[in-house]
Amino acid sequence: MMKSKADEEDYWNSSKFKAFTFDDEDDEFTKLKESRQAVNSICGLVEEEEDEDEVEKVSWSGEPVGSISWSVRETASSLREQSFPKIDTTPSLPKNSSGYSLSSLFKGKEVLSDSSVRLYAPELRKPKSEYKVTAVSLEKFRSLQEKLLLLDEAVGVHDGNVITAVLIYLKKSLSKEVLFRELESRQTALRHFIHYLTESKEQRLLLELYRALGRTEDEALLQYKEHLRITDENKRRDFLKSCVSLPFSPEDAGHVQDHYTLLERQIIIEATDRQAETGGKVEIFQKFPRRASILNMPLITTLYYCCFYHYAETEGTYSSPANIRQTFRIAEKQYFVTALAARAKLKAWHDVDALFTSRNWLGFTRKKSPLSFSRVADILSKNNAPVQVLQEYVGLVDDVELRVALAQKYKCHFIVISTYRDLKDRQLLLGYRGKVERGSEEERKIDELLSNPQIRWKN
Amino acid sequence: MAHSARRDSPELPDFSVLKRLARDQLIYLLEQLPGKKDLFIEADLMSPLDRIANVSTLKQHEVDKLYKVEYKPVVSTSDQLCFLIRPRIQTVKWVYVVNADKAAGKFKRYKIIFTPQKFYACETVLEEQGIFGDVSTDEWAFYLLPLDEDIINLELPEFFRDNFLEGDQRWVRTGGSALHLFHSIYGPFSKVYGIGRCSKMVYESWREQVKEGEQKARQAEVGTVFLIDRDVDFVTPLCSQVVYEGLVDDIFRIKCGCVEFGPDVTSSDKSIKVMLNSQDKVFNEIRNEHFSNVFGFLSQKARNLQTAYDKRRGMDIKQMKTFVSEELKGLKQEHRLLSLHIGASESMMKKKTKQDFQELLKTEHSLLEGFEIRECISFIEEHINRQVSYLKRNQFSNNLNSAWPCQSYGVDHLLTFANLKQLGLLVEQQPGETLTVMESKMGKLVNDKTAGKLTDAFSSLAKKSNFRALSRRLSLVPKSDEEYDLRVPRDMAYIFSGAYIPLSCKLIEQVLERDGWTGLEEVTRLLNGHEFAVTADLRPQSDAQRIILVMFLGGCTFSEISALRFLGRERGYKFIVLTTAITNSARLIEAMLDNHV
């Protein structure tokens, strides 16, 4: 159900959402600052006596001395001082206590009044339904029919532990073919089995299971997952290459192909740039040393990196942003945001300007952007762009109210002034005069406008 | 600020007994291994253990040194080693020390204590490694950890993934046992409601356990139970939180009731860990408040504190003495708390301002309402493009395909996306489908510090059309033309700035109001059924009846807890939340990650 445009406006402008905003820096924030000052002003009194307070130490000084986490760390740090281990020759025979026993239960409150420790001890018990699956009795189930009955029984009691126990027994006592075949029609048991194999890292068996079930996409994903184990980038790249031909879903296949291509490029870029950096000849690497290697970074990080270090390169090189954009079919908006952020970070305002400038067929230039100009201004301001740069984009914001709000926020006084002039709002302009610096160019501009007889003010 | 509770609200039961129970049981297990021993503890268990015992407790029972269980050689010289771990195959494999010792001709005693229970698969590992029998095993049935006066945690974050993604029911019995333990101390229950497949199974498991044990007649302290599966409502935990406690969790991550505030909060060079619970007087008053109300409260407090301190001016010696002995300590404590929460608020405010949080909230709210779709898409687009690392909700129209997040967040997440699809959180749009919208969510995922970049994934709500219908049927989104005063909340929607009533909590409210699912047939149909309502053959006591245990299977958020507290105050109930873990959008998405071996 879509609401009308008016409704929407109303919704966001209605007072219930105006009550509080996280963007609003003055009102609530000052209140907070005041309270901070009030609290700080009484500091003197408190600090002088701080250490006497033993009682509060327990709950306050982080982990109190004597806490378990604290003690574990203490042991860890004292390990180096350890002397040679004592050699103990007395043999001890640990008793095999219980076989397999299930959850313990407690008696109720009547026990609690008794302080004897033993009464709280777990009482091991084997309810009837679970009796069947203790380690000993499992061996009695020899025929397939009995085994499957046991499995279905386990599934019926909804205890994953019991289900897995039976599955472990079936895994030992049935051939893979038979087990896989029977699991196919038992989804709950199958999911337990898959989870068990995953946890105990029985990769090969799991792959066989997927294959037997015809779940080729899962099989492919599982194989692909192996790349996470490979730390050497060249081996990883080769492994990914071998993954490309696996039976992924068409969409995933695209991602895997991209993953391979990306890593391949990153290896080339990394080698060249590392050399350039250590060589000390390339200015940008000297001015902005790389914080980390580009290997295994996401695509957009790679694009950002290339926009940062290799912006001017021609499309022919692997590291040129244009080439990356084309190879990985990066959307226009995405490319813009990334390039903008990178060039703004470098304070390359000229590049920023060029990014948005387009020429029409008559040769006139104008600013175009796939993302809203308010966003552009936001990104620029976060990169500490000077007012001269900011105002150019703030001025392009279509919505008048938003434009004025942004201009005030970023202190683009001339935008505010000219907007008020366009609105022919003398009162607002007069009011704004009080906000600009006395004797400044802005003030002069306002005065000039206010005394301009040609403007037909609406108030 | 402090809401006046209905005077007839029943009192909450005392949960400290649960801690004592767990502690005594651990001691019993340690004594099963007489003599000096070294204790190896799994990392995840340290904080829960800290909440119920301390080092001196362990030392008293002849624990010599404490170590973390890690994948590296053990250096202990003790001849008795005890391992305290979760029942995970991976961790059991780490206990390979035994074989090394055997090879070196050393004979020691080994014991593994699994908590809250052991799994057959773990013992199989011991068997396969040839050390079954050399190692004795035991169970520490530490199910219930009280985090606060109304929150009990199972501290099992893996419950969510194992159950809902992998389809492994290993924790079902654990859930049943936890409920049974609670029941045997605070029950008997007279009413149990629930919704979800897992809830049903947990209920069955609990029922079986009750049947097998003996139950003495006792005055019930808690009479009503509501079980709910996390997958009944994925929308709520994916929303950005704006209630103080939830916001602190989203930003600083509360771990087992404790948060670490860094130097930016403490305005000093050190971090401190703080317990966040009702014992903290300042926190207790702001935890359930919408963030916008917190500032006013804190500054009022600061002023009051100033006045109280100022009183000492012009006091004579005797008055001063009384002041110091009676008031000063309290004031100092309050001062410390206040300065901490002000610091936290400032820091959160700064972080959120930097992240376009306002726009994110706007986008989320529009998505919940289902309009301004185009704007939402463009917002989400730009943030995927910018690899923005914080959490957000997306809605994709058919002009968007899933290739795109992959480009930004790294191809490794191909596997993560496969998981999201499995859970129905991510649906790829079929070309040609007209503006059917689906909701999704991107999450902060892997934090690769070197690059300072974050790899993310996103998900969507598969029950796309259902959410709309549910929202209409249950009026989850209040009418937008009415003013919503966050200072005087009128319904649970206040926890999301008045924009949305959490589905999970709304269901609870409705079922309690109707005393069952009657009249909600259409709603349960949209939620895929699995609802139930059972009444025991007991004479219900009115007070116990109004203390309601809500068990979240798969985790719940602090915002939901705040909403339930609000509902309780309005209706004269007291809610106790029993959850498998505290979750939020980041944790939920992290649980789906598959970009590691």
Side-chain angles (χ1 to χ4, degrees), chain A residues 377 380 385-397 403 407 410-416 442:
Chain A
L380 289 172
V387 171
Q388 291 87 319
V389 174
L390 268 174
Q391 67 182 11
E392 187 154 351
Y393 299 93
V394 174
L396 291 166
V397 173
R403 192 196 311 151
Y410 301 134
K411 310 224 166 354
C412 304
H413 299 302
F414 284 112
I415 303 286
V416 181
E442 289 87 356

Side-chain angles (χ1 to χ4, degrees), chain A residues 11 63 68 75 199 251, chain B residues 50 66 170 273 369 402 428:
Chain A
Y11 179 77
E63 278 155 14
I68 285 150
T75 328
E199 283 194 312
E251 197 197 348
Chain B
D50 257 335
L66 290 168
R170 63 168 64 150
K273 288 193 176 169
E369 289 218 37
S402 72
E428 279 161 55

Side-chain angles (χ1 to χ4, degrees), chain B residues 437-451:
Chain B
V437 236
M438 68 183 183
E439 291 168 71
S440 70
K441 166 98 194 171
M442 317 195 352
K444 166 169 145 188
L445 293 172
V446 171
N447 191 346
D448 188 342
K449 287 201 180 100
T450 0

Side-chain angles (χ1 to χ4, degrees), chain A residues 11-12 15 22 45 60 63 68-69 75 88 103 120 161 191-192 195 199 251 301 333-334 375, chain B residues 24 50 66 79 120 165 168-170 173 273 309 337 358 369 372 382 387 402 428 480 483:
Chain A
Y11 179 77
W12 294 116
S15 51
F22 276 92
L45 178 71
W60 274 98
E63 278 155 14
I68 285 150
S69 329
T75 328
D88 192 348
S103 315
Y120 294 168
N161 181 30
R191 291 185 75 183
H192 280 81
H195 193 212
E199 283 194 312
E251 197 197 348
T301 311
K333 202 168 175 175
Q334 192 157 21
R375 249 316 143 200
Chain B
D24 289 350
D50 257 335
L66 290 168
D79 53 7
Y120 184 80
L165 179 70
D168 190 321
Q169 300 165 359
R170 63 168 64 150
R173 192 179 165 88
K273 288 193 176 169
Y309 270 113
L337 292 168
Q358 195 58 34
E369 289 218 37
E372 284 196 327
E382 280 167 22
Q387 296 175 310
S402 72
E428 279 161 55
S480 57
E483 275 208 23

Side-chain angles (χ1 to χ4, degrees), chain B residues 231-235 238 393-395 419-429 433 436-441 458-470 526 528:
Chain B
D231 73 348
V232 166
D233 175 12
F234 276 137
V235 176
L238 289 174
R393 162 178 307 279
N394 305 355
Q395 211 157 1
N419 287 345
L420 293 170
K421 273 185 235 168
Q422 165 88 37
L423 256 193
L425 280 171
L426 170 66
V427 180
E428 279 161 55
Q429 288 288 294
E433 210 176 310
T436 14
V437 236
M438 68 183 183
E439 291 168 71
S440 70
K441 166 98 194 171
F458 72 104
S459 61
S460 93
L461 289 161
K463 295 156 193 163
K464 42 183 176 177
S465 45
N466 286 7
F467 180 73
R468 278 293 155 267
L470 281 165
L526 291 165
N528 297 323

Side-chain angles (χ1 to χ4, degrees), chain A residues 398-446:
Chain A
D398 273 335
D399 183 275
V400 176
E401 266 178 54
L402 183 62
R403 192 196 311 151
V404 171
L406 287 174
Q408 291 188 344
K409 186 171 163 192
Y410 301 134
K411 310 224 166 354
C412 304
H413 299 302
F414 284 112
I415 303 286
V416 181
I417 295 165
S418 62
T419 309
Y420 286 159
R421 182 202 59 205
D422 295 346
L423 291 170
K424 310 219 184 306
D425 198 323
R426 192 182 158 84
Q427 291 310 316
L428 281 177
L429 197 56
L430 262 174
Y432 201 68
R433 191 174 180 274
K435 290 187 186 160
V436 300
E437 231 173 280
R438 191 156 293 176
S440 65
E441 213 179 312
E442 289 87 356
E443 193 186 53
R444 242 171 292 138
K445 175 80 184 171
I446 294 178

Side-chain angles (χ1 to χ4, degrees), chain B residues 290-396:
Chain B
H290 189 273
F291 194 51
S292 60
N293 290 350
V294 170
F295 308 108
F297 174 82
L298 290 177
S299 49
Q300 184 57 45
K301 272 260 167 193
R303 277 197 296 277
N304 293 350
L305 193 63
Q306 179 88 60
T307 326
Y309 270 113
D310 287 348
K311 257 195 347 205
R312 84 203 139 91
R313 297 213 177 98
M315 277 183 185
D316 58 30
I317 302 252
K318 196 168 164 236
Q319 285 170 320
M320 193 61 137
K321 226 174 160 179
T322 338
F323 175 76
V324 170
S325 65
E326 283 169 14
E327 279 179 66
L328 190 58
K329 203 171 150 118
L331 289 178
K332 270 164 60 184
Q333 160 115 3
E334 189 175 333
H335 177 265
R336 222 176 293 187
L337 292 168
L338 203 52
S339 114
L340 210 62
H341 289 295
I342 289 172
S345 299
E346 280 178 323
S347 164
M348 291 197 287
M349 194 72 183
K350 265 186 220 141
K351 286 196 176 106
K352 288 300 183 188
T353 313
K354 223 186 268 167
Q355 296 177 341
D356 303 326
F357 191 55
Q358 195 58 34
E359 285 207 47
L360 167 65
L361 289 179
K362 227 154 100 173
T363 308
E364 287 185 2
H365 295 170
S366 311
L367 288 170
L368 290 166
E369 289 218 37
F371 62 74
E372 284 196 327
I373 304 302
R374 216 169 295 277
E375 281 80 354
C376 295
I377 292 166
S378 120
F379 173 81
I380 293 154
E381 249 178 46
E382 280 167 22
H383 284 87
I384 298 177
N385 288 346
R386 285 162 68 182
Q387 296 175 310
V388 174
S389 57
Y390 60 87
L391 299 156
K392 65 189 70 74
R393 162 178 307 279
N394 305 355
Q395 211 157 1
F396 288 84

